[in-house]
Amino acid sequence: MKITILGSGSAFGTPMIFNSWGNANPSNSKNNRTRASIYLDIDGYNILVDAGPDLREQINKNNIKNIDSVFVTHGHYDHIGGIPELPRATKILGHSIDIYASNETLEELKKSFWYLFVTKADAEPNSQSLKWNTMPNVGNLNINNLNFEVFQVPHHKLHPSAFRYKNFAYITDWEYLTEETISKLHNLDLLIIECNDGLIQESKGHAYLDKVKEVTSIINPKKVILTHLSWRIDYDEFSKHLPLNFELAYDGMTLEI
C-alpha cells in the first residue's frame, strides 16, 4: 500500500489568507500546507480520504491519475469543500466514483451540496456518476475485497469517521479517544493522526502533542505521522520535540507499508 499525504494542514491551511504564516517559517517548503487529505493506492485500487477546497491543486500537483472511492470523514468545510469537483472528475475518468460517509456526514453533505443529491431530471450534470454509500459508525466496511475497520472520534459536535486497514490507521480531527477506540489501535506499523494544536491545546475539538503521546504510549505504533497541522507549528522547531518514531507530515509526503 502506498500512502500520499495530499494535504497536511489544518482548516485554514498554512499560510492562512493574506500570507499569514504564524509560527511557520515561510522559507521551509514543508510549512506550506494545504487542507488535510490522503490518497491510498492499495493494489491498484485508489481511495481519496477527504476532499477539501484544495482538491484540484492536490490532485494535479501529485499527478494523481485515478480515484475509485472517496472516504469523507466529516462535514466540516476543510474536508468537503472539493466535493463539487468530483462530478467533473467522473467525466474525465470515464467511470463513476463511490463516496462513503456516515449518516451524520451524509446529512452534512446534503445540506452543503443539495444539488448533487436531487433527482436525475434536476441534477447537476454528471452528478449521477457519484454513488453515495453509507459508512457504518462502527464496524467493518468491505470495498473491492479490502476490509476496513471503521470507528468514530469526538470533534466539536461532530463524530468524524476514522479507520484501520491491516496495520495502518488514520485519525483526523479528534479531541479524545475512548477506551473502545484505543483497543482497535494496537499492533500498528503506521498511525497517521491529527496534531492540530502543536505543543499546547489552544482550541477545543482538536489534539496536541501530549495528547497524541498519551495515546501512543498505550498502543505503541511503530511509526507515527502527525498531520492536520496549524500555523502554530514550524516544521523544524516542532520536530525537535518529537519522539524518535514520530514525524511531521508535509504535502506530497509518501509512505509505503
Side-chain angles (χ1 to χ4, degrees):
M1 175 171 61
K2 181 180 178 181
I3 304 162
T4 303
I5 306 289
L6 298 182
S8 58
S10 63
F12 303 103
T14 305
M16 298 203 304
I17 196 170
F18 306 120
N19 277 311
S20 302
W21 287 88
N23 295 332
N25 180 356
S27 66
N28 186 343
S29 62
K30 290 180 179 178
N31 285 325
N32 198 320
R33 307 178 181 114
T34 57
R35 268 60 76 95
S37 175
I38 63 171
Y39 179 80
L40 309 178
D41 183 342
I42 308 176
D43 298 327
Y45 190 81
N46 305 123
I47 301 173
L48 173 70
V49 182
D50 285 332
D54 304 309
L55 177 63
R56 183 181 61 82
E57 175 188 351
Q58 293 169 338
I59 294 296
N60 291 343
K61 187 173 182 179
N62 289 278
N63 200 31
I64 302 298
K65 297 299 186 183
N66 186 45
I67 298 171
D68 294 302
S69 294
V70 179
F71 290 178
V72 185
T73 61
H74 63 294
H76 281 161
Y77 172 72
D78 56 314
H79 296 263
I80 67 171
I83 293 290
E85 299 273 6
L86 296 178
R88 179 50 58 97
T90 65
K91 184 175 182 180
I92 294 170
L93 291 172
H95 64 74
S96 62
I97 294 176
D98 282 293
I99 302 179
Y100 294 85
S102 69
N103 280 320
E104 177 185 86
T105 301
L106 281 172
E107 289 305 309
E108 294 291 329
L109 289 168
K110 289 175 183 178
K111 290 176 186 176
S112 299
F113 309 119
W114 58 269
Y115 50 89
L116 299 180
F117 291 85
V118 296
T119 60
K120 188 170 183 178
D122 300 321
E124 185 80 4
N126 306 310
S127 63
Q128 298 299 313
S129 293
L130 301 181
K131 296 184 177 180
W132 304 96
N133 303 275
T134 302
M135 180 183 288
N137 292 345
V138 179
N140 292 324
L141 178 65
N142 190 281
I143 302 170
N144 199 49
N145 294 319
L146 305 173
N147 190 53
F148 295 85
E149 185 173 9
V150 180
F151 47 96
Q152 291 186 322
V153 295
H155 169 56
H156 297 299
K157 295 181 180 181
L158 298 183
H159 304 86
S161 297
F163 65 87
R164 174 174 181 156
Y165 176 73
K166 294 185 177 180
N167 55 351
F168 162 64
Y170 183 73
I171 301 173
T172 185
D173 292 66
W174 64 287
E175 186 171 3
Y176 62 89
L177 302 183
T178 65
E179 290 185 7
E180 181 181 3
T181 295
I182 290 173
S183 71
K184 302 176 188 299
L185 297 172
H186 292 279
N187 302 312
L188 290 174
D189 286 343
L190 176 63
L191 172 65
I192 301 180
I193 189 166
E194 179 243 302
C195 187
N196 188 90
D197 290 345
L199 294 176
I200 301 173
Q201 187 169 25
E202 298 187 20
S203 60
K204 292 183 179 179
H206 286 287
Y208 58 107
L209 182 58
D210 281 350
K211 182 67 71 174
V212 177
K213 289 166 68 175
E214 178 183 325
V215 169
T216 56
S217 70
I218 301 170
I219 63 174
N220 294 313
K222 291 182 181 178
K223 188 173 185 63
V224 179
I225 302 294
L226 304 179
T227 193
H228 203 290
L229 308 172
S230 73
W231 68 338
R232 302 173 183 89
I233 296 170
D234 176 76
Y235 187 91
D236 290 330
E237 288 301 316
F238 193 74
S239 292
K240 297 174 183 178
H241 298 273
L242 300 182
L244 289 177
N245 63 326
F246 278 53
E247 188 175 350
L248 290 182
Y250 55 87
D251 288 22
M253 182 183 200
T254 59
L255 306 118
E256 293 197 28
I257 57 172

